[in-house]
Amino acid sequence: MTRRPSLPGASELFRLTSSALEPATRPAVDQPVDPPAADQPAPGPRRGSGRQKHSTKITVYVSDEELLALEHARLALRGEHGLVVDRGRVVREAIAIVLDDLEGHGEDSLLVRRLRDR
């Protein structure tokens, strides 16, 4: 008799367990959206990429006040609107909104006006 313990395989250790969650507590997962071809404009308003594996990362430094405001926004989305999202998702949606505004309004966009005011 060997003294080696019997361990579960990798497939058991890394299996998805989201089906064990109650439907009311299960977070909504957005389906990944295929990006539009480079030569075609995106139909309708731009959207944040939602919950998916992202292949590119950037680092953005924010002040303590900005981080606190972002966390308050995330908590307000959860408490007042029933949207369970992380800070990254909020930031990606905000980027999509600002880029749509810049594309649609150009010189009169909120981004251009705010950057000029500084």
Side-chain angles (χ1 to χ4, degrees), residues 33-48 96 100 103:
V33 178
D34 294 330
D39 58 347
Q40 293 179 337
R46 183 180 275 116
R47 293 297 311 242
D100 263 351
E103 188 176 288

Side-chain angles (χ1 to χ4, degrees), residues 57-114:
K57 177 183 176 181
I58 66 168
T59 301
V60 177
Y61 292 92
V62 297
S63 69
D64 291 339
E65 293 80 20
E66 290 166 330
L67 183 60
L68 189 59
L70 180 58
E71 190 63 20
H72 279 290
R74 186 188 69 79
L75 292 172
L77 287 168
R78 182 177 186 161
E80 298 169 23
H81 306 287
L83 297 169
V84 180
V85 294
D86 59 25
R87 291 184 303 219
R89 176 110 182 260
V90 173
V91 169
R92 287 188 299 273
E93 287 295 335
I95 290 170
I97 291 166
V98 168
L99 294 177
D100 263 351
D101 183 52
L102 177 63
E103 188 176 288
H105 298 103
E107 194 74 19
D108 296 325
S109 70
L110 182 62
L111 181 62
V112 171
R113 288 182 303 185
R114 288 181 63 118

